[in-house]
């Protein structure tokens, strides 16, 4: 018959190695079974490479946080859950204010460092269950599960204040930046999807920018 395959894990001290085992029957010329052979193939490196490829596919190369593709995949799962159970959910768009000026004055290398700086502050100031990613350019998108709009605004204000009060420290300078945030959320999610919430959050961000920057603007999604 055909060889059967089984994956095995073996511990060698603190390290783990992964093997694929192939069991085959050994037959004589008349087809009688004489015994069995087991072939162990070390697939540790292949699995590590696969895990790394998946990580790269989900990660923004510059900032090290999730990318848009990963956000949309994880966000749609969360939105589906919120729709099924009618739970609260909120989405936020964060954008660095006058980011072009930082690039023009200090150069793109410093601009990249500022993006990484803001990404680290986001990572340090959101919950484990929150989903956030670099959406493109200097925009970060956040999804707050189980979070009504007023609570999302509170979290966004805390993040906005933290970023404004935490300068990027370089060898010869301290550079400050502010951010604007647009929030879209609902107390009880119905048929509205992730794309709808992202679009409303983007509209709220545009209002925050137009009304002076360095602020949070919220749109109640259930009123749309």
């Amino acid at each position: 018959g055909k060889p059967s395959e089984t994956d095995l894990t073996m511990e060698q001290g603190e390290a783990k190695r992964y093997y694929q085992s192939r069991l085959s029957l050994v037959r004589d010329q008349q087809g009688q079974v004489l015994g069995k052979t087991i072939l162990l193939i070390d697939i540790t490196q292949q699995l590590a490479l696969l895990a790394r490829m998946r990580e790269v596919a989900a990660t923004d190369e510059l900032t090290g946080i999730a990318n848009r593709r990963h956000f949309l995949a994880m966000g749609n799962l969360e939105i589906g859950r919120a729709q099924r159970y009618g739970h609260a959910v909120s989405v936020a768009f964060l954008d660095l204010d006058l980011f072009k000026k930082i690039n023009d004055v200090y150069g793109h290398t410093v601009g990249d460092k500022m993006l990484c700086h803001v990404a680290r502050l986001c990572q340090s100031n959101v919950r484990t269950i929150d989903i956030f990613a670099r959406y493109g350019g200097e925009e970060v998108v956040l999804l707050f599960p189980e979070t009504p709009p007023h609570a999302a605004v509170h979290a966004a204000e805390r993040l906005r204040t933290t970023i404004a009060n935490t300068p990027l420290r370089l060898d010869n300078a301290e550079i400050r930046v502010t951010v604007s945030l647009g929030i879209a959320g609902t107390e009880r999610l119905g048929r509205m999807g992730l794309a709808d919430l992202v679009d409303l959050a983007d509209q709220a961000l545009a209002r925050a920018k137009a009304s002076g920057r360095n602020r949070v603007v919220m749109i109640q999604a259930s009123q749309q």
Side-chain angles (χ1 to χ4, degrees):
K2 294 182 179 179
S4 61
E5 297 183 357
T6 306
D7 292 338
L8 302 173
T9 303
M10 297 185 183
E11 295 188 9
Q12 299 177 351
E14 294 185 358
K16 286 186 178 180
R17 300 202 70 81
Y18 302 92
Y19 297 88
Q20 187 179 81
S21 68
R22 293 182 180 176
L23 176 65
S24 301
L25 299 178
V26 179
R27 300 177 184 272
D28 61 18
Q29 293 181 344
Q30 286 72 42
Q32 297 297 315
V33 176
L34 299 177
K36 300 176 181 178
T37 62
I38 298 178
L39 176 64
L40 291 181
I41 304 171
D42 190 334
I43 58 173
T44 306
Q45 288 187 334
Q46 291 94 318
L47 291 179
L49 178 60
L50 181 60
R52 177 57 182 158
M53 290 173 63
R54 287 173 176 167
E55 180 183 347
V56 169
T59 304
D60 175 61
E61 185 177 0
L62 174 63
T63 62
I65 64 176
N67 58 22
R68 182 195 298 202
R69 178 181 178 183
H70 185 66
F71 173 83
L72 293 176
M74 299 302 294
N76 276 311
L77 289 176
E78 181 57 43
I79 290 296
R81 190 178 69 85
Q83 287 173 334
R84 283 195 301 275
Y85 300 108
H87 287 181
V89 66
S90 296
V91 170
F93 256 123
L94 177 153
D95 188 58
L96 277 67
D97 295 328
L98 303 175
F99 182 67
K100 184 179 183 299
K101 184 176 180 181
I102 293 176
N103 281 327
D104 291 344
V105 173
Y106 298 101
H108 288 279
T109 298
V110 172
D112 287 350
K113 289 181 179 179
M114 180 61 80
L115 286 174
C116 294
H117 172 68
V118 170
R120 285 193 297 270
L121 290 175
C122 289
Q123 203 160 27
S124 301
N125 287 274
V126 298
R127 303 168 302 177
T128 305
I129 65 169
D130 296 331
I131 303 168
F132 71 103
R134 184 183 181 193
Y135 204 72
E138 61 272 19
E139 286 186 339
V140 174
V141 63
L142 305 98
L143 187 146
F144 301 104
E146 307 290 342
T147 308
H150 68 275
V153 168
H154 180 74
E157 283 286 4
R158 185 172 63 247
L159 181 57
R160 182 192 65 79
T161 302
T162 297
I163 292 172
N165 293 335
T166 309
L168 170 64
R169 291 184 170 86
L170 303 175
D171 292 338
N172 57 352
E174 286 190 354
I175 306 172
R176 295 183 180 272
V177 71
T178 61
V179 296
S180 300
L181 294 105
I183 307 284
T186 178
E187 298 273 353
R188 183 180 176 86
L189 187 63
R191 299 177 63 182
M192 185 172 287
L194 180 61
D196 301 312
L197 288 172
V198 166
D199 183 58
L200 286 176
D202 194 31
Q203 292 178 37
L205 173 62
R207 295 182 190 179
K209 291 284 191 180
S211 57
R213 303 184 183 90
N214 190 24
R215 64 193 63 211
V216 176
V217 170
M218 185 266 287
I219 294 177
Q220 185 86 22
S222 59
Q223 296 176 358
Q224 299 304 305

